[in-house]
Short mmCIF file of all heavy atoms in Angstrom, two decimals:
data_model
loop_
_atom_site.label_atom_id
_atom_site.label_comp_id
_atom_site.label_asym_id
_atom_site.label_seq_id
_atom_site.Cartn_x
_atom_site.Cartn_y
_atom_site.Cartn_z
N GLY A 281 38.67 35.92 -32.88
CA GLY A 281 38.07 34.68 -32.49
C GLY A 281 38.47 33.55 -33.42
O GLY A 281 38.75 32.44 -32.96
N ALA A 282 38.46 33.78 -34.72
CA ALA A 282 38.79 32.72 -35.68
C ALA A 282 40.25 32.31 -35.54
O ALA A 282 40.58 31.12 -35.63
CB ALA A 282 38.50 33.19 -37.10
N ASP A 283 41.12 33.28 -35.30
CA ASP A 283 42.54 32.96 -35.12
C ASP A 283 42.75 32.13 -33.85
O ASP A 283 43.56 31.20 -33.84
CB ASP A 283 43.39 34.23 -35.05
CG ASP A 283 43.54 34.89 -36.41
OD1 ASP A 283 43.52 34.17 -37.42
OD2 ASP A 283 43.67 36.12 -36.44
N ALA A 284 42.01 32.43 -32.80
CA ALA A 284 42.14 31.68 -31.55
C ALA A 284 41.69 30.23 -31.73
O ALA A 284 42.34 29.31 -31.22
CB ALA A 284 41.32 32.35 -30.45
N VAL A 285 40.62 30.02 -32.47
CA VAL A 285 40.15 28.66 -32.74
C VAL A 285 41.18 27.90 -33.55
O VAL A 285 41.49 26.74 -33.27
CB VAL A 285 38.79 28.69 -33.47
CG1 VAL A 285 38.40 27.31 -33.95
CG2 VAL A 285 37.71 29.26 -32.55
N ALA A 286 41.75 28.54 -34.56
CA ALA A 286 42.76 27.88 -35.38
C ALA A 286 43.99 27.52 -34.56
O ALA A 286 44.53 26.41 -34.68
CB ALA A 286 43.15 28.78 -36.56
N GLN A 287 44.44 28.43 -33.71
CA GLN A 287 45.62 28.16 -32.88
C GLN A 287 45.33 27.04 -31.87
O GLN A 287 46.19 26.19 -31.62
CB GLN A 287 46.07 29.44 -32.17
CG GLN A 287 46.59 30.51 -33.10
CD GLN A 287 47.77 30.04 -33.96
OE1 GLN A 287 48.57 29.22 -33.56
NE2 GLN A 287 47.84 30.56 -35.17
N ALA A 288 44.14 27.02 -31.29
CA ALA A 288 43.78 25.97 -30.35
C ALA A 288 43.72 24.62 -31.04
O ALA A 288 44.18 23.61 -30.50
CB ALA A 288 42.44 26.29 -29.69
N TYR A 289 43.17 24.59 -32.24
CA TYR A 289 43.12 23.33 -33.01
C TYR A 289 44.53 22.82 -33.28
O TYR A 289 44.82 21.63 -33.11
CB TYR A 289 42.37 23.55 -34.33
CG TYR A 289 42.52 22.38 -35.27
CD1 TYR A 289 41.80 21.22 -35.06
CD2 TYR A 289 43.37 22.45 -36.37
CE1 TYR A 289 41.93 20.14 -35.91
CE2 TYR A 289 43.52 21.38 -37.23
CZ TYR A 289 42.79 20.22 -37.00
OH TYR A 289 42.93 19.16 -37.85
N LEU A 290 45.42 23.72 -33.69
CA LEU A 290 46.79 23.30 -33.98
C LEU A 290 47.50 22.82 -32.71
O LEU A 290 48.29 21.87 -32.75
CB LEU A 290 47.57 24.43 -34.64
CG LEU A 290 47.08 24.81 -36.05
CD1 LEU A 290 47.85 26.03 -36.56
CD2 LEU A 290 47.22 23.65 -37.01
N ALA A 291 47.22 23.46 -31.59
CA ALA A 291 47.84 23.04 -30.33
C ALA A 291 47.37 21.65 -29.92
O ALA A 291 48.17 20.81 -29.51
CB ALA A 291 47.52 24.05 -29.23
N VAL A 292 46.08 21.38 -30.06
CA VAL A 292 45.55 20.06 -29.72
C VAL A 292 46.10 19.01 -30.68
O VAL A 292 46.47 17.91 -30.28
CB VAL A 292 44.01 20.07 -29.73
CG1 VAL A 292 43.44 18.67 -29.66
CG2 VAL A 292 43.49 20.92 -28.59
N ARG A 293 46.16 19.34 -31.95
CA ARG A 293 46.64 18.39 -32.95
C ARG A 293 48.11 18.04 -32.69
O ARG A 293 48.52 16.91 -32.92
CB ARG A 293 46.47 18.97 -34.34
CG ARG A 293 46.84 17.99 -35.41
CD ARG A 293 46.53 18.52 -36.77
NE ARG A 293 47.17 17.66 -37.74
CZ ARG A 293 46.59 17.21 -38.81
NH1 ARG A 293 45.35 17.55 -39.07
NH2 ARG A 293 47.23 16.42 -39.64
N SER A 294 48.90 19.00 -32.22
CA SER A 294 50.31 18.72 -31.98
C SER A 294 50.49 17.79 -30.77
O SER A 294 51.52 17.14 -30.64
CB SER A 294 51.08 20.02 -31.76
OG SER A 294 50.68 20.62 -30.54
N LEU A 295 49.49 17.67 -29.89
CA LEU A 295 49.56 16.80 -28.73
C LEU A 295 49.16 15.36 -29.04
O LEU A 295 49.41 14.47 -28.26
CB LEU A 295 48.66 17.33 -27.61
CG LEU A 295 49.04 18.69 -27.03
CD1 LEU A 295 48.00 19.14 -26.02
CD2 LEU A 295 50.41 18.64 -26.41
N GLU A 296 48.51 15.14 -30.19
CA GLU A 296 48.07 13.79 -30.56
C GLU A 296 49.27 12.93 -30.91
O GLU A 296 50.27 13.42 -31.43
CB GLU A 296 47.11 13.86 -31.75
CG GLU A 296 45.79 14.52 -31.42
CD GLU A 296 44.87 14.63 -32.62
OE1 GLU A 296 45.30 14.31 -33.74
OE2 GLU A 296 43.72 15.04 -32.42
N PRO A 297 49.18 11.64 -30.64
CA PRO A 297 50.30 10.75 -30.97
C PRO A 297 50.55 10.69 -32.47
O PRO A 297 49.62 10.81 -33.26
CB PRO A 297 49.86 9.38 -30.46
CG PRO A 297 48.53 9.55 -29.83
CD PRO A 297 48.09 10.96 -30.00
N ILE A 298 51.80 10.48 -32.83
CA ILE A 298 52.15 10.38 -34.25
C ILE A 298 51.46 9.14 -34.81
O ILE A 298 51.45 8.07 -34.21
CB ILE A 298 53.68 10.28 -34.44
CG1 ILE A 298 54.32 11.59 -33.98
CG2 ILE A 298 54.03 9.98 -35.88
CD1 ILE A 298 55.82 11.60 -34.06
N GLY A 299 50.92 9.28 -36.00
CA GLY A 299 50.21 8.18 -36.64
C GLY A 299 48.71 8.24 -36.40
O GLY A 299 47.97 7.47 -36.96
N ALA A 300 48.26 9.15 -35.54
CA ALA A 300 46.83 9.26 -35.27
C ALA A 300 46.10 9.79 -36.51
O ALA A 300 45.01 9.36 -36.81
CB ALA A 300 46.57 10.17 -34.08
N HIS A 301 46.72 10.71 -37.20
CA HIS A 301 46.13 11.22 -38.44
C HIS A 301 47.14 11.03 -39.56
O HIS A 301 47.27 9.95 -40.09
CB HIS A 301 45.75 12.71 -38.30
CG HIS A 301 44.56 12.92 -37.42
ND1 HIS A 301 43.29 12.60 -37.81
CD2 HIS A 301 44.45 13.39 -36.16
CE1 HIS A 301 42.45 12.88 -36.84
NE2 HIS A 301 43.13 13.37 -35.82
N ASP A 302 47.82 12.06 -39.90
CA ASP A 302 48.85 12.00 -40.93
C ASP A 302 50.21 12.17 -40.26
O ASP A 302 50.52 13.23 -39.76
CB ASP A 302 48.66 13.10 -41.98
CG ASP A 302 47.32 12.98 -42.69
OD1 ASP A 302 46.88 11.84 -42.93
OD2 ASP A 302 46.73 14.02 -42.96
N ALA A 303 51.00 11.13 -40.26
CA ALA A 303 52.29 11.19 -39.59
C ALA A 303 53.22 12.17 -40.30
O ALA A 303 53.36 12.13 -41.51
CB ALA A 303 52.92 9.80 -39.57
N GLY A 304 53.83 13.03 -39.52
CA GLY A 304 54.81 13.95 -40.06
C GLY A 304 54.26 15.18 -40.74
O GLY A 304 55.01 15.99 -41.25
N VAL A 305 52.97 15.36 -40.77
CA VAL A 305 52.37 16.53 -41.40
C VAL A 305 52.12 17.57 -40.33
O VAL A 305 51.43 17.32 -39.35
CB VAL A 305 51.06 16.17 -42.12
CG1 VAL A 305 50.42 17.42 -42.70
CG2 VAL A 305 51.31 15.15 -43.19
N GLU A 306 52.72 18.72 -40.49
CA GLU A 306 52.52 19.81 -39.53
C GLU A 306 51.36 20.68 -39.97
O GLU A 306 51.19 20.95 -41.15
CB GLU A 306 53.78 20.67 -39.44
CG GLU A 306 54.94 20.00 -38.76
CD GLU A 306 56.11 20.95 -38.58
OE1 GLU A 306 55.87 22.17 -38.50
OE2 GLU A 306 57.24 20.46 -38.53
N GLY A 307 50.60 21.14 -39.00
CA GLY A 307 49.52 22.07 -39.29
C GLY A 307 50.02 23.49 -39.17
O GLY A 307 50.89 23.79 -38.37
N ARG A 308 49.47 24.34 -39.99
CA ARG A 308 49.81 25.76 -39.91
C ARG A 308 48.66 26.58 -40.45
O ARG A 308 47.88 26.11 -41.27
CB ARG A 308 51.10 26.09 -40.65
CG ARG A 308 51.03 25.89 -42.13
CD ARG A 308 52.39 26.13 -42.77
NE ARG A 308 52.33 25.85 -44.19
CZ ARG A 308 52.25 26.79 -45.12
NH1 ARG A 308 52.24 28.05 -44.78
NH2 ARG A 308 52.18 26.46 -46.38
N VAL A 309 48.55 27.79 -39.97
CA VAL A 309 47.53 28.71 -40.45
C VAL A 309 48.04 29.34 -41.74
O VAL A 309 49.09 29.99 -41.75
CB VAL A 309 47.21 29.80 -39.40
CG1 VAL A 309 46.21 30.79 -39.94
CG2 VAL A 309 46.70 29.15 -38.13
N VAL A 310 47.34 29.12 -42.83
CA VAL A 310 47.79 29.61 -44.13
C VAL A 310 47.56 31.11 -44.25
O VAL A 310 48.43 31.85 -44.70
CB VAL A 310 47.05 28.87 -45.26
CG1 VAL A 310 47.47 29.41 -46.62
CG2 VAL A 310 47.33 27.38 -45.19
N ASP A 311 46.40 31.56 -43.82
CA ASP A 311 46.04 32.97 -43.95
C ASP A 311 45.29 33.39 -42.69
O ASP A 311 44.22 32.86 -42.41
CB ASP A 311 45.15 33.17 -45.19
CG ASP A 311 44.95 34.63 -45.55
OD1 ASP A 311 45.73 35.47 -45.07
OD2 ASP A 311 44.02 34.91 -46.32
N PRO A 312 45.83 34.30 -41.90
CA PRO A 312 45.13 34.71 -40.68
C PRO A 312 43.81 35.41 -41.01
O PRO A 312 43.64 35.99 -42.07
CB PRO A 312 46.11 35.67 -40.01
CG PRO A 312 47.09 36.06 -41.04
CD PRO A 312 47.09 35.01 -42.09
N ALA A 313 42.89 35.33 -40.06
CA ALA A 313 41.57 35.94 -40.25
C ALA A 313 41.69 37.46 -40.29
O ALA A 313 42.49 38.06 -39.58
CB ALA A 313 40.65 35.52 -39.12
N ARG A 314 40.89 38.07 -41.16
CA ARG A 314 40.87 39.52 -41.27
C ARG A 314 39.43 40.00 -41.12
O ARG A 314 38.49 39.30 -41.47
CB ARG A 314 41.39 39.96 -42.64
CG ARG A 314 42.85 39.67 -42.87
CD ARG A 314 43.31 40.18 -44.24
NE ARG A 314 42.57 39.62 -45.34
CZ ARG A 314 42.87 38.47 -45.95
NH1 ARG A 314 43.89 37.77 -45.54
NH2 ARG A 314 42.15 38.02 -46.94
N THR A 315 39.28 41.21 -40.63
CA THR A 315 37.96 41.81 -40.52
C THR A 315 37.48 42.17 -41.93
O THR A 315 38.23 42.75 -42.71
CB THR A 315 38.03 43.10 -39.67
OG1 THR A 315 38.58 42.76 -38.40
CG2 THR A 315 36.66 43.72 -39.51
N PRO A 316 36.24 41.81 -42.28
CA PRO A 316 35.74 42.12 -43.61
C PRO A 316 35.70 43.63 -43.87
O PRO A 316 35.41 44.41 -42.96
CB PRO A 316 34.33 41.54 -43.65
CG PRO A 316 34.13 40.82 -42.38
CD PRO A 316 35.27 41.11 -41.48
N THR A 317 35.98 44.02 -45.09
CA THR A 317 35.94 45.45 -45.45
C THR A 317 34.56 45.87 -45.92
O THR A 317 34.25 47.06 -45.94
CB THR A 317 36.97 45.75 -46.55
OG1 THR A 317 36.68 44.92 -47.67
CG2 THR A 317 38.38 45.48 -46.06
N ALA A 318 33.74 44.91 -46.32
CA ALA A 318 32.39 45.22 -46.79
C ALA A 318 31.46 44.07 -46.39
O ALA A 318 31.92 42.95 -46.21
CB ALA A 318 32.39 45.39 -48.31
N PRO A 319 30.19 44.36 -46.25
CA PRO A 319 29.25 43.28 -45.91
C PRO A 319 29.15 42.28 -47.06
O PRO A 319 29.28 42.64 -48.23
CB PRO A 319 27.93 44.00 -45.67
CG PRO A 319 28.06 45.32 -46.33
CD PRO A 319 29.53 45.64 -46.36
N SER A 320 28.94 41.04 -46.71
CA SER A 320 28.78 40.03 -47.75
C SER A 320 27.30 39.77 -47.96
O SER A 320 26.51 39.82 -47.03
CB SER A 320 29.49 38.74 -47.35
OG SER A 320 28.91 38.22 -46.18
N GLY A 321 26.94 39.53 -49.17
CA GLY A 321 25.55 39.26 -49.51
C GLY A 321 25.40 39.18 -51.01
O GLY A 321 26.35 39.39 -51.76
N PRO A 322 24.21 38.87 -51.47
CA PRO A 322 24.01 38.68 -52.90
C PRO A 322 24.03 39.99 -53.71
O PRO A 322 24.20 39.96 -54.91
CB PRO A 322 22.65 38.00 -53.00
CG PRO A 322 21.94 38.41 -51.77
CD PRO A 322 23.00 38.56 -50.71
N GLY A 323 23.80 41.12 -53.09
CA GLY A 323 23.76 42.38 -53.82
C GLY A 323 22.32 42.81 -54.07
O GLY A 323 21.37 42.06 -53.87
N LEU A 324 22.16 44.02 -54.50
CA LEU A 324 20.83 44.62 -54.66
C LEU A 324 20.06 43.99 -55.82
O LEU A 324 18.88 43.66 -55.67
CB LEU A 324 20.96 46.13 -54.88
CG LEU A 324 19.65 46.89 -54.97
CD1 LEU A 324 18.84 46.73 -53.68
CD2 LEU A 324 19.89 48.36 -55.24
N LEU A 325 20.67 43.80 -56.98
CA LEU A 325 19.95 43.27 -58.14
C LEU A 325 19.45 41.84 -57.91
O LEU A 325 18.26 41.58 -58.10
CB LEU A 325 20.82 43.35 -59.39
CG LEU A 325 20.17 42.85 -60.68
CD1 LEU A 325 18.94 43.69 -61.00
CD2 LEU A 325 21.16 42.88 -61.82
N PRO A 326 20.29 40.89 -57.48
CA PRO A 326 19.77 39.54 -57.24
C PRO A 326 18.70 39.51 -56.15
O PRO A 326 17.74 38.76 -56.23
CB PRO A 326 20.99 38.73 -56.83
CG PRO A 326 22.16 39.48 -57.35
CD PRO A 326 21.75 40.92 -57.34
N LEU A 327 18.86 40.33 -55.13
CA LEU A 327 17.88 40.39 -54.05
C LEU A 327 16.54 40.92 -54.56
O LEU A 327 15.47 40.40 -54.21
CB LEU A 327 18.40 41.26 -52.91
CG LEU A 327 17.58 41.27 -51.64
CD1 LEU A 327 17.50 39.88 -51.03
CD2 LEU A 327 18.19 42.24 -50.64
N THR A 328 16.57 41.92 -55.42
CA THR A 328 15.35 42.49 -55.99
C THR A 328 14.65 41.47 -56.89
O THR A 328 13.43 41.30 -56.82
CB THR A 328 15.67 43.76 -56.80
OG1 THR A 328 16.33 44.69 -55.93
CG2 THR A 328 14.43 44.39 -57.38
N VAL A 329 15.41 40.78 -57.73
CA VAL A 329 14.83 39.77 -58.62
C VAL A 329 14.22 38.64 -57.81
O VAL A 329 13.10 38.19 -58.09
CB VAL A 329 15.90 39.25 -59.61
CG1 VAL A 329 15.38 38.04 -60.38
CG2 VAL A 329 16.32 40.35 -60.56
N ALA A 330 14.92 38.17 -56.79
CA ALA A 330 14.40 37.07 -55.96
C ALA A 330 13.15 37.50 -55.22
O ALA A 330 12.17 36.73 -55.14
CB ALA A 330 15.48 36.61 -54.99
N SER A 331 13.13 38.70 -54.68
CA SER A 331 11.97 39.19 -53.94
C SER A 331 10.75 39.32 -54.85
O SER A 331 9.64 38.94 -54.49
CB SER A 331 12.26 40.54 -53.30
OG SER A 331 13.31 40.44 -52.39
N THR A 332 10.97 39.84 -56.04
CA THR A 332 9.87 39.99 -56.99
C THR A 332 9.33 38.64 -57.41
O THR A 332 8.11 38.42 -57.46
CB THR A 332 10.35 40.78 -58.23
OG1 THR A 332 10.85 42.04 -57.80
CG2 THR A 332 9.23 40.98 -59.23
N THR A 333 10.21 37.70 -57.70
CA THR A 333 9.79 36.36 -58.11
C THR A 333 9.01 35.67 -57.00
O THR A 333 7.95 35.09 -57.24
CB THR A 333 11.02 35.51 -58.50
OG1 THR A 333 11.74 36.19 -59.53
CG2 THR A 333 10.61 34.14 -58.97
N LEU A 334 9.52 35.72 -55.78
CA LEU A 334 8.80 35.10 -54.67
C LEU A 334 7.46 35.77 -54.40
O LEU A 334 6.47 35.10 -54.09
CB LEU A 334 9.67 35.13 -53.42
CG LEU A 334 10.87 34.18 -53.43
CD1 LEU A 334 11.73 34.40 -52.19
CD2 LEU A 334 10.41 32.74 -53.50
N GLY A 335 7.40 37.08 -54.56
CA GLY A 335 6.14 37.78 -54.38
C GLY A 335 5.10 37.39 -55.41
O GLY A 335 3.93 37.18 -55.10
N LEU A 336 5.54 37.24 -56.66
CA LEU A 336 4.62 36.81 -57.72
C LEU A 336 4.16 35.38 -57.50
O LEU A 336 2.99 35.05 -57.72
CB LEU A 336 5.28 36.97 -59.08
CG LEU A 336 5.48 38.41 -59.55
CD1 LEU A 336 6.32 38.44 -60.82
CD2 LEU A 336 4.14 39.09 -59.77
N LEU A 337 5.07 34.51 -57.09
CA LEU A 337 4.70 33.12 -56.84
C LEU A 337 3.73 33.00 -55.66
O LEU A 337 2.82 32.18 -55.68
CB LEU A 337 5.95 32.27 -56.58
CG LEU A 337 6.81 31.97 -57.79
CD1 LEU A 337 8.09 31.26 -57.37
CD2 LEU A 337 6.05 31.14 -58.80
N ALA A 338 3.92 33.81 -54.65
CA ALA A 338 3.02 33.78 -53.49
C ALA A 338 1.66 34.38 -53.83
O ALA A 338 0.63 33.93 -53.33
CB ALA A 338 3.66 34.53 -52.32
N GLY A 339 1.63 35.38 -54.69
CA GLY A 339 0.37 36.05 -55.01
C GLY A 339 -0.41 35.41 -56.13
O GLY A 339 -1.61 35.66 -56.28
N ALA A 340 0.21 34.54 -56.92
CA ALA A 340 -0.47 33.93 -58.07
C ALA A 340 -1.69 33.11 -57.66
O ALA A 340 -2.76 33.24 -58.29
CB ALA A 340 0.52 33.09 -58.87
N PRO A 341 -1.63 32.26 -56.64
CA PRO A 341 -2.83 31.50 -56.28
C PRO A 341 -3.98 32.40 -55.81
O PRO A 341 -5.15 32.12 -56.08
CB PRO A 341 -2.37 30.60 -55.13
CG PRO A 341 -0.89 30.53 -55.26
CD PRO A 341 -0.47 31.82 -55.88
N ILE A 342 -3.65 33.47 -55.14
CA ILE A 342 -4.69 34.40 -54.68
C ILE A 342 -5.32 35.12 -55.87
O ILE A 342 -6.54 35.28 -55.95
CB ILE A 342 -4.10 35.41 -53.67
CG1 ILE A 342 -3.63 34.65 -52.42
CG2 ILE A 342 -5.11 36.49 -53.31
CD1 ILE A 342 -2.81 35.48 -51.48
N ALA A 343 -4.50 35.53 -56.82
CA ALA A 343 -5.02 36.24 -57.99
C ALA A 343 -5.80 35.31 -58.91
O ALA A 343 -6.73 35.74 -59.60
CB ALA A 343 -3.86 36.87 -58.76
N ALA A 344 -5.47 34.03 -58.93
CA ALA A 344 -6.13 33.08 -59.83
C ALA A 344 -7.44 32.55 -59.24
O ALA A 344 -8.20 31.89 -59.94
CB ALA A 344 -5.20 31.91 -60.12
N ARG A 345 -7.70 32.84 -57.98
CA ARG A 345 -8.93 32.36 -57.32
C ARG A 345 -10.14 32.99 -57.99
O ARG A 345 -10.18 34.20 -58.24
CB ARG A 345 -8.87 32.75 -55.85
CG ARG A 345 -10.01 32.21 -55.04
CD ARG A 345 -9.89 32.65 -53.61
NE ARG A 345 -10.03 34.11 -53.57
CZ ARG A 345 -9.59 34.88 -52.59
NH1 ARG A 345 -8.94 34.35 -51.59
NH2 ARG A 345 -9.78 36.18 -52.62
N PRO A 346 -11.13 32.18 -58.32
CA PRO A 346 -12.33 32.75 -58.96
C PRO A 346 -13.07 33.67 -57.99
O PRO A 346 -13.11 33.42 -56.78
CB PRO A 346 -13.18 31.53 -59.32
CG PRO A 346 -12.60 30.38 -58.58
CD PRO A 346 -11.23 30.73 -58.16
N THR A 347 -13.63 34.70 -58.55
CA THR A 347 -14.38 35.65 -57.74
C THR A 347 -15.86 35.53 -58.04
O THR A 347 -16.26 35.10 -59.13
CB THR A 347 -13.94 37.09 -58.00
OG1 THR A 347 -14.12 37.37 -59.39
CG2 THR A 347 -12.48 37.28 -57.64
N ARG A 348 -16.70 35.88 -57.09
CA ARG A 348 -18.15 35.85 -57.31
C ARG A 348 -18.64 37.27 -57.56
O ARG A 348 -18.23 38.20 -56.88
CB ARG A 348 -18.85 35.28 -56.09
CG ARG A 348 -18.58 33.81 -55.90
CD ARG A 348 -19.52 33.26 -54.87
NE ARG A 348 -18.79 33.14 -53.60
CZ ARG A 348 -19.37 32.90 -52.44
NH1 ARG A 348 -20.68 32.80 -52.36
NH2 ARG A 348 -18.65 32.79 -51.36
N SER A 349 -19.52 37.40 -58.52
CA SER A 349 -20.08 38.71 -58.78
C SER A 349 -21.29 38.94 -57.88
O SER A 349 -21.82 38.02 -57.27
CB SER A 349 -20.48 38.83 -60.27
OG SER A 349 -21.53 37.93 -60.53
N ARG A 350 -21.81 40.16 -57.84
CA ARG A 350 -22.98 40.46 -57.02
C ARG A 350 -24.21 39.69 -57.52
O ARG A 350 -25.04 39.27 -56.74
CB ARG A 350 -23.27 41.96 -57.04
CG ARG A 350 -22.27 42.76 -56.28
CD ARG A 350 -22.63 44.23 -56.37
NE ARG A 350 -21.58 45.03 -55.79
CZ ARG A 350 -21.72 45.74 -54.68
NH1 ARG A 350 -22.89 45.77 -54.07
NH2 ARG A 350 -20.72 46.41 -54.21
N ALA A 351 -24.32 39.52 -58.83
CA ALA A 351 -25.48 38.82 -59.41
C ALA A 351 -25.45 37.35 -58.97
O ALA A 351 -26.50 36.76 -58.71
CB ALA A 351 -25.46 38.93 -60.92
N ALA A 352 -24.30 36.74 -58.88
CA ALA A 352 -24.21 35.33 -58.50
C ALA A 352 -24.59 35.16 -57.03
O ALA A 352 -25.20 34.16 -56.65
CB ALA A 352 -22.81 34.79 -58.74
N ARG A 353 -24.27 36.14 -56.19
CA ARG A 353 -24.60 36.04 -54.77
C ARG A 353 -26.11 36.22 -54.53
O ARG A 353 -26.66 35.68 -53.59
CB ARG A 353 -23.84 37.09 -53.97
CG ARG A 353 -22.43 36.63 -53.66
CD ARG A 353 -21.79 37.58 -52.72
NE ARG A 353 -20.97 38.50 -53.54
CZ ARG A 353 -20.41 39.58 -53.11
NH1 ARG A 353 -20.55 39.95 -51.88
NH2 ARG A 353 -19.69 40.32 -53.92
N ALA A 354 -26.75 36.99 -55.34
CA ALA A 354 -28.18 37.29 -55.16
C ALA A 354 -29.05 36.08 -55.50
O ALA A 354 -30.15 35.94 -55.01
CB ALA A 354 -28.58 38.48 -56.02
N SER A 355 -28.59 35.20 -56.36
CA SER A 355 -29.44 34.09 -56.77
C SER A 355 -29.35 32.89 -55.88
O SER A 355 -28.74 32.72 -54.96
CB SER A 355 -29.11 33.65 -58.18
OG SER A 355 -27.74 33.30 -58.28
#
């Protein structure tokens, strides 16, 4: 799909009049698209650190909320 988009872009660009963009500059695909060999992502360690940090930040207001004891409710 990515190669098809690149080829279509180059075909349309070659039909534009000279001087419309850069006169005399030819477009070409530098590196054809390849199927990834591994999934991309931040990795296990950064994901674990971020999840822990966000969990603590979300839970801090709940943990800091004052609690009422049974004696305070009775009075």
